[in-house]
Coordinates of all heavy atoms in Angstrom, one line a residue:
Y1 N -3.8 5.2 -7.0 CA -3.8 4.5 -5.7 C -5.2 4.1 -5.3 O -5.5 3.0 -4.9 CB -3.1 5.3 -4.6 CG -2.9 4.6 -3.3 CD1 -2.1 3.5 -3.1 CD2 -3.7 5.0 -2.2 CE1 -2.0 2.9 -1.9 CE2 -3.6 4.4 -1.0 CZ -2.7 3.3 -0.8 OH -2.6 2.7 0.4
R2 N -6.1 5.1 -5.3 CA -7.5 4.9 -4.9 C -8.2 3.8 -5.8 O -9.0 3.0 -5.3 CB -8.3 6.2 -4.9 CG -9.7 6.1 -4.5 CD -10.5 7.3 -4.9 NE -10.5 7.4 -6.3 CZ -10.6 8.5 -7.0 NH1 -10.6 9.7 -6.4 NH2 -10.6 8.5 -8.3
D3 N -7.9 3.8 -7.0 CA -8.5 2.9 -7.9 C -8.0 1.4 -7.7 O -8.7 0.5 -7.9 CB -8.3 3.3 -9.4 CG -9.0 4.5 -9.8 OD1 -9.9 4.9 -9.1 OD2 -8.7 5.1 -10.9
A4 N -6.8 1.3 -7.2 CA -6.2 0.0 -7.0 C -6.6 -0.5 -5.6 O -6.7 -1.7 -5.4 CB -4.7 0.0 -7.1
V5 N -6.8 0.4 -4.6 CA -7.0 0.0 -3.2 C -8.3 0.4 -2.8 O -8.7 1.6 -2.9 CB -5.9 0.6 -2.3 CG1 -6.0 0.3 -0.9 CG2 -4.5 0.2 -2.8
A6 N -9.1 -0.5 -2.2 CA -10.5 -0.2 -1.8 C -10.6 0.8 -0.7 O -11.4 1.7 -0.7 CB -11.2 -1.5 -1.5
F7 N -9.7 0.7 0.3 CA -9.8 1.5 1.5 C -8.4 2.1 1.7 O -7.6 1.7 2.5 CB -10.2 0.8 2.7 CG -11.6 0.2 2.6 CD1 -11.7 -1.2 2.3 CD2 -12.7 0.9 2.7 CE1 -12.9 -1.8 2.2 CE2 -14.0 0.4 2.6 CZ -14.1 -1.0 2.3
P8 N -8.0 3.2 0.9 CA -6.7 3.7 0.9 C -6.2 4.2 2.3 O -5.0 3.9 2.6 CB -6.7 4.9 -0.1 CG -8.0 5.0 -0.6 CD -8.9 3.9 0.0
G9 N -7.0 4.8 3.1 CA -6.6 5.3 4.4 C -6.2 4.1 5.3 O -5.2 4.2 6.0
I10 N -6.9 3.1 5.3 CA -6.6 1.9 6.1 C -5.4 1.1 5.6 O -4.5 0.8 6.4 CB -7.9 1.0 6.2 CG1 -9.0 1.7 6.9 CG2 -7.5 -0.3 6.9 CD1 -10.4 1.0 6.8
V11 N -5.4 0.9 4.3 CA -4.3 0.1 3.7 C -3.0 0.8 3.9 O -2.0 0.2 4.2 CB -4.6 -0.2 2.2 CG1 -3.4 -0.8 1.6 CG2 -5.8 -1.1 2.1
S12 N -3.0 2.1 3.7 CA -1.7 2.8 3.8 C -1.1 2.7 5.2 O 0.1 2.8 5.4 CB -1.9 4.3 3.5 OG -2.7 4.9 4.4
Q13 N -2.0 2.5 6.2 CA -1.5 2.3 7.6 C -1.0 0.8 7.9 O -0.2 0.6 8.7 CB -2.5 2.7 8.6 CG -2.9 4.1 8.5 CD -1.8 5.1 8.8 OE1 -1.1 4.9 9.8 NE2 -1.6 6.1 8.0
L14 N -1.6 -0.1 7.2 CA -1.4 -1.5 7.4 C -0.4 -2.2 6.5 O 0.1 -3.3 6.8 CB -2.7 -2.3 7.4 CG -3.7 -1.9 8.4 CD1 -5.0 -2.6 8.2 CD2 -3.3 -2.1 9.8
C15 N -0.1 -1.6 5.3 CA 0.7 -2.3 4.3 C 2.1 -2.4 4.8 O 2.7 -1.4 5.3 CB 0.7 -1.4 3.0 SG 1.6 -2.2 1.7
D16 N 2.7 -3.6 4.6 CA 4.1 -3.8 5.0 C 5.1 -3.5 3.9 O 6.2 -3.8 4.0 CB 4.3 -5.2 5.6 CG 4.0 -6.3 4.6 OD1 3.5 -6.0 3.5 OD2 4.2 -7.5 4.9
R17 N 4.6 -3.0 2.8 CA 5.4 -2.5 1.7 C 6.3 -3.6 1.1 O 7.5 -3.4 1.0 CB 6.2 -1.3 2.0 CG 5.3 -0.1 2.4 CD 6.1 1.0 2.8 NE 6.6 0.8 4.2 CZ 6.6 1.6 5.2 NH1 6.2 2.8 5.0 NH2 7.1 1.3 6.3
P18 N 5.7 -4.7 0.6 CA 6.5 -5.7 0.0 C 7.3 -5.2 -1.3 O 8.3 -5.8 -1.7 CB 5.5 -6.8 -0.3 CG 4.2 -6.2 -0.5 CD 4.3 -5.0 0.5
C19 N 6.7 -4.1 -1.8 CA 7.4 -3.6 -3.0 C 8.8 -3.1 -2.8 O 9.7 -3.2 -3.6 CB 6.5 -2.4 -3.6 SG 6.1 -1.2 -2.4
R20 N 9.0 -2.6 -1.6 CA 10.4 -2.1 -1.2 C 11.4 -3.2 -1.2 O 12.6 -3.0 -1.6 CB 10.4 -1.5 0.2 CG 9.8 -0.1 0.2 CD 10.0 0.5 1.5 NE 9.5 1.9 1.5 CZ 9.6 2.7 2.5 NH1 10.3 2.3 3.6 NH2 9.1 3.9 2.4
D21 N 11.0 -4.4 -0.8 CA 12.0 -5.5 -0.8 C 12.4 -6.0 -2.2 O 13.4 -6.6 -2.3 CB 11.4 -6.7 0.0 CG 11.2 -6.3 1.5 OD1 12.0 -5.4 2.0 OD2 10.4 -6.9 2.1
T22 N 11.5 -5.8 -3.2 CA 11.8 -6.3 -4.5 C 12.2 -5.2 -5.5 O 12.5 -5.5 -6.6 CB 10.5 -7.0 -5.1 OG1 9.5 -6.1 -5.2 CG2 10.1 -8.2 -4.2
C23 N 12.3 -4.0 -5.0 CA 12.6 -2.9 -5.9 C 14.1 -3.0 -6.4 O 15.0 -3.0 -5.6 CB 12.4 -1.5 -5.2 SG 12.8 -0.1 -6.2
V24 N 14.2 -3.0 -7.7 CA 15.6 -3.1 -8.3 C 16.4 -1.8 -8.1 O 17.6 -1.8 -8.1 CB 15.6 -3.5 -9.8 CG1 15.0 -4.9 -10.0 CG2 14.8 -2.5 -10.6

């Protein structure tokens, strides 16, 4: 996660989780 996301603490609070909508 840290390698993919520059600021993990901030992003984890702001991400609207588009992955959930597309998860099969």
Side-chain angles (χ1 to χ4, degrees):
Y1 182 71
R2 182 195 60 211
D3 291 346
V5 179
F7 301 101
I10 296 169
V11 171
S12 66
Q13 298 297 314
L14 300 175
C15 183
D16 62 352
R17 298 176 286 226
C19 53
R20 283 189 177 186
D21 296 333
T22 61
C23 179
V24 295

